[in-house]
Amino acid sequence: MMSKATGMKLCGTLLVIALVSSTLSSAIPRKDGAKDRTYEKELSDEKHYDDKGEHNSDYDHEAFLGADESKTFDQLSPEESRDRLGKIVEKIDKDHDGKVTESELQSWIQYVQNRYLLQDTNRQWSEFDTTDAKLKWDDYKEKTYGFLEDGDEEDKDDKEHYNQMQIRDEKRWKVADQDQDGSLSKEEFTHFLHPEEVKHMKEIVVDETMDDIDKNKDGFIDVDEYIGDMYHEAADEEPEWVKKEREQFKDYRDKDKDGKLNRDEIREWIIPDDYDHTEAEAKHLIYESDSDKDGVLSKDEILDKYDVFVGSQATDFGEALSRHDEF
């Protein structure tokens, strides 16, 4: 029979994992090491284009559905997918002129993204028994990390790992707590969970990334630390992708060519100011679907390429095609 202490520890650990996995910030510490840091990173292990330059729809499926969720759409018939997608197209076309512009598509993707953030915040907020509009740090800490106080001496490495996560959470909490009252409103809690989404939180994302990767604590990330964050294997010869990452570091990441990344270069790497995900995704969808090359999409063009759109945020990560939601 599972002991009370073990049960508390398991529940606490599962909650920590749930909170961490749902946070978009890739700077959260992971025991196996984070392999991706940038928010413009490749979104799937699948290649977006094959060796012949052909588009691979599996990339979009996994990038925006996740490997498991993509299977849900795969079970729908093409006819049902087209029918449900058609209803969504009518909502994207705000001026009802029969054409979906890049701006309309971008606005829809942004709407879906914001809706996801709200749903994610509501889901996690509901885990806490708060009766007012604020969540206190002590309540969050007790619910999330209370198992650390159970006196169990087993798994000391795990405890140290979660202790470090608690310290990191508290630092992030204080930045999210803009009125400095020790508690977070639901909006502040959203900023805590998704710090890369708001300007005043971005520096904490940089701090967390440096804390993870800057092993010698000199305030910089050198190429070995950069590679070490992604690749840990001992091999006679590095894989080709690792060699390319070294080239990426030298040619693009290290702007001043001093062999290491300073804070500004790290910020540009993980949260690039000139990269708009919604714009990039809208352009991608139009490029893939605009058969007459007029720069806008008709309903028929979208339906003809429904397999492209189910891998896009435009369909709420594809989930909108597998349920009868009204947007």
Side-chain angles (χ1 to χ4, degrees), residues 173-187:
W173 186 281
K174 289 178 179 178
V175 178
D177 181 16
Q178 289 192 283
D179 57 11
Q180 298 298 299
D181 65 351
S183 302
L184 299 186
S185 66
K186 188 173 286 189
E187 181 181 12

Side-chain angles (χ1 to χ4, degrees), residues 246-293:
R246 289 188 182 275
E247 294 174 3
Q248 185 84 348
F249 181 96
K250 179 182 177 182
D251 296 337
Y252 300 103
R253 306 292 186 213
D254 182 15
K255 305 291 186 183
D256 59 11
K257 309 303 179 186
D258 66 351
K260 55 190 177 182
L261 304 185
N262 58 38
R263 188 177 185 88
D264 290 338
E265 290 167 335
I266 294 167
R267 187 187 303 105
E268 175 62 22
W269 163 33
I270 61 175
I271 315 175
D273 289 332
D274 60 352
Y275 190 88
D276 187 327
H277 290 277
T278 59
E279 179 183 3
E281 179 65 6
K283 288 182 181 296
H284 164 69
L285 291 174
I286 290 176
Y287 175 81
E288 292 293 340
S289 310
D290 184 17
S291 58
D292 62 9
K293 305 303 178 186

Side-chain angles (χ1 to χ4, degrees), residues 57 60-61 73-74 76-86 285 289 299-312 315 318 321:
S57 61
D60 290 327
H61 284 218
F73 173 75
D74 290 339
L76 295 175
S77 69
E79 292 76 16
E80 186 176 12
S81 299
R82 287 168 58 90
D83 179 64
R84 296 184 186 183
L85 179 55
L285 291 174
S289 310
K299 185 175 181 179
D300 286 341
E301 285 176 325
I302 292 175
L303 296 182
D304 286 344
K305 290 286 188 176
Y306 73 90
D307 58 321
V308 173
F309 281 84
V310 298
S312 165
T315 55
L321 297 175

Side-chain angles (χ1 to χ4, degrees), residues 4 7 26 104 109 118 125 148 194 253 257 275 278 321:
K4 180 179 180 181
S26 58
E104 287 174 327
I109 295 169
L118 178 61
W125 185 270
L148 294 173
H194 304 282
R253 306 292 186 213
K257 309 303 179 186
Y275 190 88
T278 59
L321 297 175

Side-chain angles (χ1 to χ4, degrees), residues 1-15 143-144 146-148 150 152 154:
M1 180 179 295
M2 182 182 295
S3 69
K4 180 179 180 181
T6 302
M8 290 174 63
K9 177 177 180 179
L10 177 60
C11 290
T13 300
L14 289 174
L15 179 56
K143 184 76 171 181
T144 308
F147 68 93
L148 294 173
D150 63 10
D152 188 353
E154 297 179 1

Side-chain angles (χ1 to χ4, degrees), residues 30-126:
R30 289 171 41 189
K31 297 182 71 177
D32 60 346
K35 293 186 178 180
D36 293 301
R37 295 282 174 179
T38 62
Y39 294 102
E40 87 279 24
K41 66 187 180 185
E42 291 296 318
L43 299 172
S44 169
D45 290 336
E46 297 281 348
K47 290 183 178 180
H48 204 171
Y49 296 89
D50 63 23
D51 294 336
K52 296 181 180 179
E54 297 294 329
H55 178 256
N56 175 20
S57 61
D58 286 342
Y59 175 94
D60 290 327
H61 284 218
E62 289 199 8
F64 298 104
L65 296 174
D68 292 336
E69 289 82 355
S70 67
K71 295 177 183 177
T72 300
F73 173 75
D74 290 339
Q75 295 172 359
L76 295 175
S77 69
E79 292 76 16
E80 186 176 12
S81 299
R82 287 168 58 90
D83 179 64
R84 296 184 186 183
L85 179 55
K87 292 181 174 65
I88 295 173
V89 172
E90 293 171 3
K91 297 181 182 297
I92 298 174
D93 181 17
K94 290 295 186 181
D95 58 10
H96 306 293
D97 66 350
K99 298 288 185 181
V100 172
T101 65
E102 181 182 317
S103 177
E104 287 174 327
L105 191 53
Q106 186 175 349
S107 294
W108 175 259
I109 295 169
Q110 186 65 57
Y111 160 74
V112 171
Q113 181 183 16
N114 291 338
R115 194 180 73 155
Y116 160 74
L117 295 179
L118 178 61
Q119 290 175 335
D120 184 56
T121 299
N122 287 339
R123 178 180 61 80
Q124 297 203 43
W125 185 270
S126 68

